[in-house]
Amino acid sequence: MKIIKQSLLIVMSLAVLISCKNYNSINTKELSLKKSYKDKFYIGTAINQRQIEDNNSLESSLISKEFNSITAENIMKSMFLHPKEDTFNFDLSDKYVAFGEKNNMFIHGHTLIWHSQLAPWFKLKKDSLEMAVAMESHIKTIIEKYKGRIHSWDVVNEALNEDGTLRKSVFLNTMGKEYLTLAFKWASEADPNLDLYYNDYNMTDLKKRQGAISMIKHIKEQGVKIDGVGMQGHWHIDTPSIEVIEQSILDYAALGVKIAITELDISVLPNPWGLVGAEISQRFENNKLMNPYPKTLPDSIQTKLADRYNDIFKLFLKHQDKISRVTFWGISDKQTWLNNFPIKGRTNYPLLFDRELKPKKAFYSLLELPKNN
């Protein structure tokens, strides 16, 4: 009986140690995400200004240990990088690139042409020639600044409506659909060795997928280089289905382009009115039904999230020959934009590390997966 009690105490002590295990307590010789997937595809994360400036040693340690690719969350969008037509702010982007180089990472640029978070002066361009001159200067100045240091770019971001038609942005309104082809042309002229991507959300939806395929075919038919599609993974714990994600990967790969899974996070919260995607202009009211886990995530949902990530990454490994990069949109639940989208003040849990940077079940579910796939 005494032996049984001692055994139970040992088991309970181990359980407590495991449950309290945080990132710093992980042996540096243990597996990391980037080590587990090193022969498969890059494992990336988006980093914010605080992380770029290396203001938190624990976060910096986690980023350098777990990831071998980075994306700038916000600082390279035009309103920050090119706020006035004659003014570029390269201070933070210089630090971003230096951070990636210091940690021997694949460095991705996000994003050159986007209708949102747009520098206001772009909107003053009223005809096609003015806009073309502005776009070409913007694209080539930034790419040439980091030539040979940034390895790939989202050249155009979110140019499609949900029905697959082109979004009526200031670029489309002034230049017509050829602004897309020209953006990729100017980017490739500035650095022929770059990987050039079109990036968008809801790229698994049939109509939007068809629109993206048509767009990419058109660009390629003009003899212009486009290397890949960024499928934003702003997905839900239940949707889209694995079958739909797989068909989307196959459809894009059939175009002869690479697939990057970008902005990956899995929301565990209810979607108001069935909202999908990442249209940041949409906002809704907060209430208890929309914010069911304000303090902590129940174990049952933790397990469901881990299973969802496991199923998704099994699919990625199945198609590893088509996938160049998988990038999480942030490093922890504390950082995630989903705490405020599409409803401000909610508590979401979409990433692999919790608010204290402790690894979640979802993290451990992915570590050993490549060994058997």
Side-chain angles (χ1 to χ4, degrees):
M1 190 64 145
K2 185 177 180 181
I3 293 174
I4 293 174
K5 285 183 177 179
Q6 288 176 334
S7 297
L8 285 172
L9 284 171
I10 292 171
V11 171
M12 289 173 66
S13 298
L14 286 171
V16 170
L17 284 172
I18 291 170
S19 66
C20 295
K21 189 175 187 181
N22 62 23
Y23 185 79
N24 266 348
S25 69
I26 297 176
N27 190 306
T28 55
K29 293 183 180 180
E30 286 187 31
L31 280 177
S32 64
L33 290 172
K34 72 179 184 183
K35 288 180 181 177
S36 293
Y37 292 85
K38 69 176 182 177
D39 297 323
K40 312 299 182 181
F41 37 71
Y42 286 109
I43 294 289
T45 186
I47 60 175
N48 59 28
Q49 180 175 342
R50 183 184 71 253
Q51 292 152 356
I52 290 167
E53 294 182 325
D54 207 6
N55 288 335
N56 185 306
S57 60
L58 185 57
E59 287 185 340
S60 295
S61 176
L62 187 152
I63 293 166
S64 63
K65 180 176 186 291
E66 298 298 336
F67 304 102
N68 53 15
S69 174
I70 52 171
T71 297
E73 185 177 34
N74 279 305
I75 60 104
M76 301 190 90
K77 294 168 182 175
S78 67
M79 67 180 289
F80 303 111
L81 192 61
H82 193 182
K84 297 180 180 179
E85 189 164 8
D86 59 352
T87 304
F88 287 86
N89 289 337
F90 287 124
D91 289 349
L92 281 173
S93 56
D94 285 347
K95 291 177 182 178
Y96 165 72
V97 173
F99 182 96
E101 291 176 336
K102 174 185 174 182
N103 292 290
N104 195 31
M105 291 172 154
F106 183 93
I107 303 170
H108 181 69
H110 176 78
T111 175
L112 292 168
I113 299 298
W114 188 31
H115 68 277
S116 189
Q117 291 180 273
L118 181 66
W121 62 269
F122 268 114
K123 299 175 183 178
L124 302 178
K125 305 301 177 185
K126 299 303 182 182
D127 64 51
S128 59
L129 180 58
E130 278 189 305
M131 183 60 81
V133 170
M135 281 180 57
E136 182 175 11
S137 175
H138 174 77
I139 290 169
K140 289 188 172 181
T141 300
I142 295 169
I143 288 181
E144 288 170 0
K145 162 78 174 173
Y146 296 109
K147 187 173 183 178
R149 301 176 70 193
I150 288 181
H151 307 108
S152 64
W153 269 99
D154 291 329
V155 178
V156 179
N157 195 53
E158 300 176 4
L160 293 169
N161 295 313
E162 297 310 291
D163 63 359
T165 59
L166 291 177
R167 185 191 294 270
K168 292 185 178 179
S169 66
V170 63
F171 305 107
L172 182 69
N173 290 342
T174 53
M175 292 182 63
K177 70 177 184 178
E178 290 309 312
Y179 88 87
L180 295 156
T181 303
L182 288 169
F184 281 90
K185 176 179 179 290
W186 292 324
S188 63
E189 288 174 351
D191 186 351
N193 296 318
L194 271 176
D195 275 353
L196 307 178
Y197 283 79
Y198 172 73
N199 188 61
D200 212 330
Y201 59 87
N202 290 351
M203 292 284 273
T204 57
D205 289 1
L206 182 58
K207 288 184 177 180
K208 196 163 192 177
R209 193 192 324 162
Q210 291 171 338
I213 289 169
S214 177
M215 176 203 305
I216 293 163
K217 283 182 176 179
H218 177 74
I219 293 171
K220 290 172 76 73
E221 286 167 359
Q222 308 310 304
V224 173
K225 171 182 157 77
I226 177 170
D227 299 286
V229 170
M231 291 175 56
Q232 292 182 23
H234 294 302
W235 295 331
H236 191 266
I237 201 164
D238 295 314
T239 58
S241 71
I242 294 299
E243 293 76 18
V244 167
I245 297 172
E246 180 170 36
Q247 189 58 57
S248 302
I249 291 171
L250 293 172
D251 287 352
Y252 293 126
L255 297 171
V257 296
K258 302 174 184 179
I259 312 298
I261 308 299
T262 66
E263 309 188 24
L264 180 59
D265 45 30
I266 307 297
S267 175
V268 300
L269 301 184
N271 282 341
W273 297 283
L275 177 72
V276 292
E279 178 49 70
I280 64 173
S281 64
Q282 298 186 67
R283 290 289 185 268
F284 301 90
E285 294 295 323
N286 199 353
N287 60 60
K288 290 182 179 180
L289 290 175
M290 292 289 109
N291 192 29
Y293 317 119
K295 301 297 183 182
T296 187
L297 194 64
D299 285 344
S300 60
I301 307 300
Q302 287 276 17
T303 299
K304 186 176 180 182
L305 179 64
D307 291 344
R308 174 69 163 154
Y309 267 116
N310 195 272
D311 290 343
I312 287 171
F313 269 74
K314 280 182 180 177
L315 176 66
F316 293 165
L317 288 167
K318 178 181 177 182
H319 295 291
Q320 61 187 269
D321 60 316
K322 305 171 185 67
I323 294 174
S324 59
R325 175 170 41 93
V326 176
T327 297
F328 294 88
W329 204 239
I331 64 170
S332 76
D333 293 341
K334 182 179 181 180
Q335 176 188 349
T336 177
W337 72 301
L338 289 173
N339 290 324
N340 290 303
F341 179 86
I343 297 172
K344 288 187 177 181
R346 292 204 299 181
T347 307
N348 213 326
Y349 306 81
L351 295 167
L352 302 186
F353 294 87
D354 68 16
R355 283 161 172 75
E356 297 177 353
L357 297 186
K358 295 176 182 177
K360 294 157 63 176
K361 288 182 181 180
F363 170 82
Y364 292 112
S365 76
L366 298 185
L367 274 185
E368 299 290 334
L369 196 59
K371 288 185 177 181
N372 302 313
N373 292 271

